[in-house]
Amino acid sequence: MDPNRIEKQILLPAPRERVWRAISDSREFGSWFGVAFDGPFVTGQQLTGKIVPTSVDPEIASLQKPYEGTAFTCVVETIEPMQRLSFRWHPFAVETGVDYSKEPMTLVQFDLEEATGGILLTITESGFDQIPDARRAKAYSSNEGGWSKQAELIQKYIAKN
């Protein structure tokens, strides 16, 4: 286990175009992920998102409920159509009254690859070694479990839509 990097993979039995739309359209992304963004994903642009419970799974939505309305920012780093979307954000930045803006951001990447039976989606978050010591372990462990849940959510979202 690399304490600087989280990686999750999931095989999605869907066409590449469908998987791409689910990760690259900020409204679709928000629907399964559990966030309402203030605009589209555009390379180099900063977005603000507010946590809203996912529309895909009631159990996971209940886990997100305590954080509903919590705002966060992300900066879109890369959009390679049908291949990769990446952004930077402050991991597990949910504590009220804390200014995370001075902290480094981690890099989150969504990579699509052809595979037998569909598209292999690899979700990677890296850069935890730059997060302040006081928050690093909690941010890593929270996001480690969170990305497992998000992989389930996108799978359910694509199956239903």
Side-chain angles (χ1 to χ4, degrees):
M1 183 172 80
D2 180 350
N4 185 45
R5 177 183 176 92
I6 296 167
E7 183 175 297
K8 304 294 177 185
Q9 292 187 315
I10 188 158
L11 180 63
L12 300 169
R16 181 182 289 265
E17 294 78 13
R18 178 66 199 108
V19 176
W20 177 248
R21 198 170 66 245
I23 64 167
S24 66
D25 180 298
S26 64
R27 288 172 305 216
E28 286 201 36
F29 184 103
S31 182
W32 60 266
F33 189 89
V35 64
F37 286 110
D38 63 354
F41 292 137
V42 176
T43 303
Q45 295 295 310
Q46 179 174 301
L47 290 171
T48 299
K50 288 192 178 177
I51 297 173
V52 296
T54 180
S55 64
V56 178
D57 183 290
E59 184 179 324
I60 295 174
S62 70
L63 296 173
Q64 294 171 327
K65 190 76 172 152
Y67 303 106
E68 187 170 14
T70 301
F72 66 91
T73 58
C74 68
V75 179
V76 178
E77 182 142 314
T78 306
I79 299 175
E80 296 174 22
M82 304 294 176
Q83 298 290 328
R84 172 179 291 157
L85 171 79
S86 68
F87 58 79
R88 293 192 175 275
W89 72 350
H90 299 285
F92 199 63
V94 297
E95 194 171 323
T96 306
V98 175
D99 179 9
Y100 297 98
S101 67
K102 306 280 190 273
E103 288 186 7
M105 297 173 140
T106 55
L107 177 65
V108 177
Q109 264 182 208
F110 298 85
D111 290 297
L112 280 60
E113 177 181 333
E114 293 291 334
T116 303
I119 299 298
L120 181 65
L121 172 62
T122 302
I123 304 168
T124 308
E125 184 173 9
S126 60
F128 288 94
D129 58 343
Q130 302 299 308
I131 303 304
D133 289 343
R135 279 191 1 90
R136 186 177 306 149
K138 180 67 174 169
Y140 182 91
S141 69
S142 294
N143 285 20
E144 204 331 289
W147 286 119
S148 294
K149 297 290 186 199
Q150 293 299 344
E152 292 174 28
L153 289 175
I154 192 169
Q155 182 177 43
K156 289 178 181 182
Y157 178 79
I158 287 177
K160 289 179 181 180
N161 296 288

